Amino acid sequence: MEPPYFAVIFTTVLRGEDPQYEATAQRMLDLAARQPGYLGVDSVRHGQAGVTVSYWRDEASIAAWRAQVEHREAQRQGRERWYARYALRVARVERQRLFDSED
Amino acid sequence: MEPPYFAVIFTTVLRGEDPQYEATAQRMLDLAARQPGYLGVDSVRHGQAGVTVSYWRDEASIAAWRAQVEHREAQRQGRERWYARYALRVARVERQRLFDSED
């Protein structure tokens, strides 16, 4: 993917451990990957802190994913049960540099 | 911080474990926090995968940090010794939503 495109930066702190959270988070990654305009994701969690950055072709793709029914239900559960806090930022990727040690 | 501002999304895969990497990575977080225009950072690593998102007032602040002498040396070592691969994206944060379960 070549800029410009969009990134959704989702930084989270969980309240605690919950196996249902793991399952839902994985399900959302799988669902997102099937949405129109999806370009990819980077997601890392360590203990209760996580950063998930998903990449999208345009703002319309982000809006459609945000409104997806099963995703909306996961958002609701996230606020009610799982997240102590989070920040969700929508950003326009202007440029990028990629490095691969095998190149 | 209120949008618009800038995010540097740095996603990394390490070649392996190296205590010197840990020390340098922490030193870079400390140094970055003292740069003009620095707004904050979210950084999570799990095993060899990491995502570090740093936030900056403007592109000039990012350029100055990129050119900082000790940081340049760390970048060089990163490519030579530590990273199997990485992507570095510069993005303009357009909007954000914050959630805190205690609000």
Side-chain angles (χ1 to χ4, degrees):
Chain A
M1 56 208 185
E2 287 299 317
Y5 56 88
F6 285 82
V8 176
I9 305 164
F10 186 45
T11 55
T12 57
V13 178
L14 292 173
R15 296 182 204 175
E17 299 294 321
D18 182 342
Q20 186 59 43
Y21 172 78
E22 307 289 342
T24 302
Q26 185 57 53
R27 168 77 178 153
M28 290 304 113
L29 291 175
D30 296 344
L31 263 186
R34 301 207 295 265
Q35 285 282 306
Y38 171 90
L39 299 176
V41 73
D42 289 302
S43 187
V44 177
R45 195 154 59 84
H46 188 82
Q48 274 147 255
V51 180
T52 296
V53 188
S54 57
Y55 306 102
W56 301 88
R57 193 173 51 216
D58 50 34
E59 295 236 39
S61 310
I62 295 170
W65 169 232
R66 183 182 175 192
Q68 199 271 357
V69 171
E70 192 176 338
H71 186 205
R72 286 200 79 87
E73 173 59 18
Q75 292 166 38
R76 190 188 62 75
Q77 288 195 69
R79 286 186 296 267
E80 287 187 5
R81 299 169 50 189
W82 295 321
Y83 295 122
R85 55 186 184 277
Y86 65 69
L88 191 149
R89 295 175 170 94
V90 176
R92 183 177 187 274
V93 177
E94 309 278 359
R95 59 182 192 277
Q96 63 190 14
R97 286 205 310 278
L98 308 179
F99 169 78
D100 191 317
S101 61
E102 301 200 339
D103 289 347
Chain B
M1 58 211 187
E2 286 299 316
Y5 56 88
F6 286 81
V8 177
I9 305 164
F10 186 46
T11 55
T12 57
V13 178
L14 292 172
R15 295 181 205 176
E17 299 292 320
D18 183 342
Q20 186 59 44
Y21 171 77
E22 308 289 341
T24 301
Q26 185 57 54
R27 168 76 178 153
M28 291 304 113
L29 291 175
D30 295 345
L31 264 185
R34 302 209 293 266
Q35 285 282 307
Y38 171 89
L39 299 176
V41 73
D42 289 302
S43 188
V44 176
R45 195 154 60 82
H46 187 82
Q48 273 147 253
V51 180
T52 296
V53 188
S54 57
Y55 306 101
W56 302 87
R57 192 174 51 217
D58 49 36
E59 296 235 37
S61 310
I62 294 170
W65 168 234
R66 183 183 174 191
Q68 199 271 359
V69 171
E70 192 174 339
H71 186 205
R72 285 200 80 87
E73 173 59 17
Q75 292 166 38
R76 190 188 62 75
Q77 288 195 68
R79 286 186 296 266
E80 288 188 2
R81 298 170 51 190
W82 295 321
Y83 295 121
R85 55 186 184 276
Y86 66 68
L88 191 149
R89 296 176 170 94
V90 176
R92 183 176 187 274
V93 178
E94 310 279 359
R95 61 182 191 275
Q96 63 190 13
R97 286 204 310 276
L98 308 178
F99 169 78
D100 191 318
S101 60
E102 302 202 338
D103 287 348

